[in-house]
Amino acid sequence: MSPTSDSHNRPADAEKKLEEAGVSSEDLAVRRAALTQVRQFGDPVLRSDTRPIEVFDENVKAQAERMIRLMDEAFGIGLAAPQIGVSNRLLVYRVGDTPPVVLANPEIEWSSEDSESFEEGCLSLANVQVDVDRPIHVRVTGQDAAGDRVRIEASGLNARVIQHEMDHLDGILILDRASKDQRKAALRGLREAEDQVGYAA
Ligand code: NI
């Protein structure tokens, strides 16, 4: 998941916002390089089935480390395995100035009836922001990078990013959770960006 903004539903230039926030041109170049390694909308891997992680070996640790690095370099707050082209059930997130969290095989154990709508972005959907309604509180079980069982209680943005990344593991994107109008506008923006920049997924 990429940071939310106040752009209100129109495609925004994420890089410009970071520049205005004081991010250096070197860090912006690193971000662009990281984003070339993040699968973009239209790539079938984002819609593919994912398999549970059964063996917690060095490969899992290396995958988690790579995901954390790309998330940080891209100024994201969460990343799921399909976004780096790997179809397994691993996600990472970091909200604010905290250590990153690695979560494998996550399951929602409980979610609150209270929900709220808030704008979300996604590193696989360049410059798209849509409002997504989600439960405010969740309790999630899963495993850490070593395979040890964990239970996480989260609220607010933490709960939101966990649910966003868990959606990725089921092939669900924020466009699927947006209103029809916002989805149409976002798809139009994605098509225009593709035409202008000429990049493809
Ligand atoms: Ni995302």
Side-chain angles (χ1 to χ4, degrees), residues 10-188:
R10 64 189 162 69
D13 188 331
E15 183 170 311
K16 204 170 179 185
K17 280 180 195 291
L18 289 168
E19 207 172 359
E20 282 165 9
V23 174
S24 71
S25 56
E26 284 109 0
D27 285 348
L28 289 176
V30 169
R31 175 177 178 273
R32 278 195 295 273
L35 284 175
T36 64
Q37 295 177 62
V38 176
R39 302 302 181 92
Q40 295 299 306
F41 179 70
D43 190 316
V45 75
L46 295 174
R47 299 297 201 181
S48 300
D49 289 341
T50 52
R51 58 187 185 282
I53 293 177
E54 281 159 9
V55 180
F56 287 84
D57 56 10
E58 289 306 310
N59 290 331
V60 173
K61 282 188 186 140
Q63 183 187 334
E65 277 166 22
R66 176 165 180 243
M67 288 168 64
I68 290 166
R69 181 175 56 78
L70 287 173
M71 168 180 75
D72 287 346
E73 289 178 355
F75 290 85
I77 57 174
L79 196 66
Q83 295 182 277
I84 60 160
V86 180
S87 294
N88 64 16
R89 299 186 73 78
L90 187 72
L91 64 85
V92 301
Y93 68 94
R94 184 212 299 270
V95 175
D97 199 10
T98 58
V101 179
V102 177
L103 193 55
N105 305 329
E107 303 278 352
I108 299 269
E109 190 176 76
W110 169 84
S111 57
S112 65
E113 283 182 18
D114 292 354
S115 68
E116 70 185 352
S117 189
F118 203 77
E119 202 171 62
E120 293 184 18
C122 179
L123 293 175
S124 295
L125 291 158
N127 298 328
V128 166
Q129 271 108 26
V130 293
D131 295 320
V132 180
D133 190 65
R134 298 193 192 272
I136 300 172
H137 312 281
V138 291
R139 190 165 61 237
V140 180
T141 60
Q143 287 159 279
D144 64 17
D148 293 326
R149 307 287 315 176
V150 291
R151 175 181 272 116
I152 296 171
E153 302 213 18
S155 295
L157 189 53
N158 276 286
R160 180 168 293 277
V161 70
I162 291 169
Q163 294 174 82
H164 175 119
E165 304 312 333
M166 283 184 69
D167 271 354
H168 276 297
L169 304 183
D170 294 326
I172 298 168
L173 301 172
I174 51 175
L175 292 176
D176 307 325
R177 298 205 180 275
S179 70
K180 200 173 164 189
D181 287 350
Q182 288 197 3
R183 182 164 57 241
K184 276 166 83 175
L187 285 168
R188 198 159 49 234

